Amino acid sequence: MSKRFLVLGCTGLLGQALMKELHHRSITAVGVARKNTDIKVDVTDEKALLSTIDDFQPDVIINTVAIVDHSFCENKPRLTKNVNAKPSIFLSEYASLKNIKYVYISTDHYYTGDRDKKHSELAPLTLSNQYAVSKQLGEEFTLSNNNSLVIRTNIVGFRSIKDRPTFVEWAINELSNNSPMQLFDDFYTSSIDVDSFSKSLLDLIEKNASGILNLASSQVSSKATFILALARRLSLATNNTKTVSMTKLDQIVDRNESLGLDVSKAEKILGYSLPRLDQVIENLATEYLKNE
C-alpha cells in the first residue's frame, strides 16, 4: 500500500496502535492531536485542520477523535457533538472534493435488551445517551460521502498514560492488587484488541471498503467473562471479585448493554476470520507480559 495516511487523535489508544501498524507496514503516515505530538491541531478548528490536510495531501484520513466519557457527554452535549460529530461535516465534504478516503471510527453503544445477540450493520439503533447521539450524527455526516467508511467497534488495549487507564489497564491493576471488583454478567460486547483491529482496518482500507462495517471480535462475551478470562491467562487472583447485574444498578447515565456486533460482512471482505475471545485475551496477555 503506497497511500499516505493522516491519523487524527494519534495519541489515543487507537491512534497509537494505528501509527505503530502503519510504520510497521512502511506506510507514510502523519499523526495529529491537540498535544504531545509533532502536529498539534484541534479537530474542531476547521481552518487549521484543513490547512494541515492541504500541507500533507493524504490519500486516507482516519478520524479516531472522540469524547467517550458518558457523564461528560451528558453534561456537555454541545461540546460532545462539536468533537464527535461536527468535524465529519467538513472532513467528509473535503475528502469527496479531493478524492481522499475518509474513515470515521464510531461505536457499538447502540443496542439494548437482547443480551449477547450479534447486531448487523442494519440493526435498529437505540440512542440512550448523548454519546450515542453524537456518534450516530458523526456517522450520518460521514456517509454524505459515498466513498467514506464508518467503523463500529469496541476496542481494548494498552495506552500507557498513568492517570488515564484503559479498561484493560484498570482491570489488570485491580486484579493485581486483589481489590474488590464488581463484574457485570449482563453487559455484553465484542471487544477486540487494538492491534488486531488496526491490522484489519488497514486491510479493509486497502480493499476500498465503504459504508458502515462492524469490525470487532467474532465472539460476544459479558464483561465478567472477559475479565475472568484475562485473569486466568495472567494467573491473577479472582477471589475478591463479585458478579453483579449492571442493569439492576442505579445509573447516572443510561447505558446500552447489548453491544454484540455481527462481523460477518467485514470477514467476507477481508477473506479471513476476526479473533474470538480466547485470541483477543492471548494477544492482550502477550502485549502485557512483553512490557512487564
Side-chain angles (χ1 to χ4, degrees):
M1 191 189 301
S2 59
K3 299 180 183 295
R4 294 161 61 87
F5 279 69
L6 187 72
V7 178
L8 306 180
C10 65
T11 58
L13 171 62
L14 176 54
Q16 290 181 33
L18 281 170
M19 293 298 291
K20 174 184 170 184
E21 181 62 22
L22 286 162
H23 291 151
H24 177 73
R25 297 187 184 200
S26 299
I27 296 173
T28 301
V30 166
V32 175
R34 288 184 302 161
K35 56 185 179 180
N36 300 325
T37 189
D38 291 335
I39 301 179
K40 301 176 183 64
V41 179
D42 190 320
V43 73
T44 64
D45 187 337
E46 178 179 350
K47 185 177 179 180
L49 185 54
L50 293 184
S51 176
T52 298
I53 296 170
D54 273 335
D55 289 343
F56 182 61
Q57 297 186 341
D59 300 292
V60 180
I61 299 171
I62 305 179
N63 183 4
T64 75
V65 178
I67 298 173
V68 298
D69 185 312
H70 284 45
S71 296
F72 184 94
C73 292
E74 290 301 303
N75 293 327
K76 301 285 185 180
R78 178 174 295 182
L79 176 58
T80 297
K81 290 172 185 174
N82 283 344
V83 173
N84 292 0
K86 190 175 178 181
S88 288
I89 298 175
F90 60 81
L91 286 170
S92 185
E93 180 181 349
Y94 187 87
S96 179
L97 181 66
K98 298 289 186 176
N99 196 29
I100 296 170
K101 185 76 173 182
Y102 178 52
V103 182
Y104 177 76
I105 307 302
S106 188
T107 185
D108 59 350
H109 281 260
Y110 290 143
Y111 316 103
T112 186
D114 40 25
R115 298 182 64 80
D116 61 351
K117 177 181 177 180
K118 294 182 178 181
H119 300 88
S120 77
E121 291 83 355
L122 297 178
L125 310 185
T126 301
L127 306 180
S128 297
N129 50 57
Q130 289 298 319
Y131 171 69
V133 168
S134 70
K135 296 303 284 184
Q136 193 279 327
L137 275 175
E139 291 189 6
E140 184 179 325
F141 295 147
T142 298
L143 295 173
S144 64
N145 174 352
N146 291 333
N147 191 43
S148 292
L149 176 61
V150 168
I151 296 291
R152 292 177 180 165
T153 190
N154 187 299
I155 55 173
V156 290
F158 303 93
R159 183 171 49 207
S160 301
I161 300 177
K162 188 174 182 180
D163 60 341
R164 293 172 55 203
T166 65
F167 167 70
V168 167
E169 289 168 337
W170 166 82
I172 291 176
N173 182 65
E174 295 298 288
L175 289 165
S176 298
N177 293 324
N178 201 24
S179 301
M181 296 178 70
Q182 292 187 329
L183 310 183
F184 298 139
D185 63 357
D186 57 355
F187 182 9
Y188 298 91
T189 66
S190 301
S191 299
I192 184 172
D193 62 285
V194 70
D195 289 340
S196 294
F197 175 90
S198 298
K199 293 171 185 175
S200 294
L201 175 59
L202 296 186
D203 290 345
L204 286 171
I205 292 170
E206 188 170 8
K207 293 177 180 293
N208 199 31
S210 60
I212 300 174
L213 280 177
N214 295 333
L215 183 58
S217 170
S218 60
Q219 184 177 358
V220 181
S221 60
S222 70
K223 289 289 189 182
T225 297
F226 184 96
I227 291 176
L228 292 173
L230 185 61
R232 283 194 299 272
R233 176 59 183 81
L234 295 176
S235 300
L236 297 174
T238 59
N239 58 294
N240 217 6
T241 64
K242 179 182 180 182
T243 301
V244 299
S245 168
M246 188 196 84
T247 57
K248 293 181 180 179
L249 297 178
D250 291 333
Q251 300 283 336
I252 298 174
V253 180
D254 289 337
R255 293 173 182 264
N256 291 348
E257 80 298 332
S258 299
L259 312 185
L261 296 174
D262 179 351
V263 297
S264 57
K265 185 176 178 181
E267 289 179 324
K268 185 175 181 180
I269 296 171
L270 290 166
Y272 58 78
S273 298
L274 288 161
R276 291 176 56 81
L277 174 63
D278 60 339
Q279 295 170 296
V280 171
I281 294 297
E282 183 60 33
N283 292 339
L284 292 171
T286 300
E287 180 71 14
Y288 174 73
L289 295 171
K290 181 177 69 177
N291 296 314
E292 272 293 275

